[in-house]
């Protein structure tokens, strides 16, 4: 389980996150969506969870381990991976090359099979190469990128670019995946497909996802649980039906008060 306990973060006079205590992955593979008006503190919370920011107060724990001050890249090592609002792919590489790069980064971090195993003849470089190519095949297929696997990233439709971005996050082998507005910049026709694919792959691999999303229809269709933030605090949390029954939340999300 990934837990925030009393997280507080200020920027000057602005309290972006104000005593937030929430839990993710109460069940394996849980899909949690974070909603709230602009400036509610959603991105700040994700940044605190993933190590881009350190809180002023409070703690972050991952499967019982205190990771409050652990660097972001070390958290990746521990299975906590994030994807940014803006797609971060290597624009001039193909889909396969992008995924291969992510796999090689992961291998470098974990040592992979390691030179020793290869030296001792337990595995050959050919075996390792073969294993990497098969993993790319799997990711390309799961993220429905088969048709474009040799296409250059910058030439992909926005939806496929986002799916490539998330596929690269999956190459890092997450237990928890945090996504800050994965449908931002994706055309209206593609958003459902993008979220559906991410949810499908996450479910099949039992990855707990934490997704910031503005489109309430997508949240209603895919969330196991919703956490609503407002002015840095948790306004409420519950099943997606909360988006219909909580009139105050509806007003906040429609921006009437903002
Ligand atoms: P959300 O993602 O819900 O739109 P943010 O977490 O980005 O909200 O921001 C919450 C509040 O903190 C906003 O008032 C925002 O202006 C402020 N804020 C966020 N990041 C910074 C920063 N790096 N420096 C100063 N203020 C920030
Ligand atoms: Mg944000």
């Amino acid at each position: 389980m990934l837990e925030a306990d009393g997280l507080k973060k200020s920027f000057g006079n602005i309290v972006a996150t104000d005593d937030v205590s929430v839990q993710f992955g109460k069940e394996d593979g849980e899909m949690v969506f974070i909603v709230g008006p602009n400036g509610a503190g959603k991105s700040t919370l994700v940044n605190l969870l993933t190590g881009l920011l350190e809180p002023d107060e409070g703690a972050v724990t991952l499967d019982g381990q205190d990771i409050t001050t652990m660097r972001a890249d070390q958290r990746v090592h521990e299975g906590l991976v994030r994807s940014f609002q803006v797609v971060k792919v290597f624009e001039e590489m193909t889909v396969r090359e992008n995924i291969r790069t992510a796999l090689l980064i992961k291998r470098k971090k974990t040592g992979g099979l390691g030179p020793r195993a290869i030296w001792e003849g337990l595995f050959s470089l050919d075996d390792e190469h073969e294993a990497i190519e098969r993993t790319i095949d799997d990711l390309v297929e799961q993220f429905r990128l088969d048709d474009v696997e040799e296409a250059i990233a910058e030439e992909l439709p926005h939806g496929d670019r986002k799916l490539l971005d998330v596929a690269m996050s999956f190459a890092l082998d997450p237990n928890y995946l945090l996504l800050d507005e994965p449908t931002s910049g994706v055309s209206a026709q593609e958003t459902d497909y993008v979220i559906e694919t991410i949810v499908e792959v996450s479910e099949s691999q039992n990855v707990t996802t934490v997704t910031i999303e503005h489109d309430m229809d997508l949240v209603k269709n895919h969330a196991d649980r919703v956490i609503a933030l407002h002015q840095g605090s948790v306004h409420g949390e519950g099943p997606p039906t909360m988006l219909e029954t909580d009139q105050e939340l509806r007003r906040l999300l429609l921006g009437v008060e903002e």
Side-chain angles (χ1 to χ4, degrees), residues 111-173:
L113 298 177
R116 168 163 288 228
I118 291 165
W119 178 252
E120 289 173 352
L122 299 173
F123 297 97
S124 69
L125 275 172
D126 277 353
D127 288 341
E128 190 171 17
H129 173 77
E130 190 56 27
I132 286 175
E133 295 311 305
R134 294 294 76 78
T135 308
I136 300 173
D137 291 344
D138 286 347
L139 284 166
V140 160
E141 194 191 324
Q142 287 177 309
F143 283 92
R144 306 177 187 173
L145 294 166
D146 329 38
D147 292 346
V148 292
E149 64 178 351
E150 297 301 341
I152 304 291
E154 68 180 352
E155 289 167 3
L156 295 174
H158 286 298
D160 283 348
R161 274 164 60 83
K162 191 66 217 182
L163 287 174
L164 171 58
D165 181 272
V166 179
M168 289 168 74
S169 298
F170 262 86
L172 301 175
D173 201 14

Side-chain angles (χ1 to χ4, degrees), residues 11 14 16 37-45:
F11 298 103
I14 298 167
N38 276 330
K42 304 181 296 296
S43 294
T44 302
L45 174 59

Side-chain angles (χ1 to χ4, degrees), residues 35-37 226 228-229 235-236 242-243 246-254:
V35 304
V226 177
L229 295 184
H235 166 88
M242 175 177 94
L243 297 168
D246 184 335
Q247 295 307 321
E248 197 191 338
L249 176 59
R250 285 173 67 90
R251 270 196 305 278
L252 289 176
L253 293 172
L254 289 171

Side-chain angles (χ1 to χ4, degrees), residues 227-245:
I227 295 173
L229 295 184
H230 178 48
Q231 293 179 346
S233 298
V234 177
H235 166 88
E237 69 178 287
T241 49
M242 175 177 94
L243 297 168
E244 268 140 37
T245 53

Side-chain angles (χ1 to χ4, degrees), residues 206-233:
N206 245 350
V207 173
T208 293
T209 59
V210 179
T211 308
I212 299 176
E213 180 55 60
H214 273 134
D215 183 330
M216 289 309 126
D217 286 331
L218 295 180
V219 177
K220 279 178 216 160
N221 289 339
H222 299 292
D224 292 326
R225 188 157 56 94
V226 177
I227 295 173
L229 295 184
H230 178 48
Q231 293 179 346
S233 298

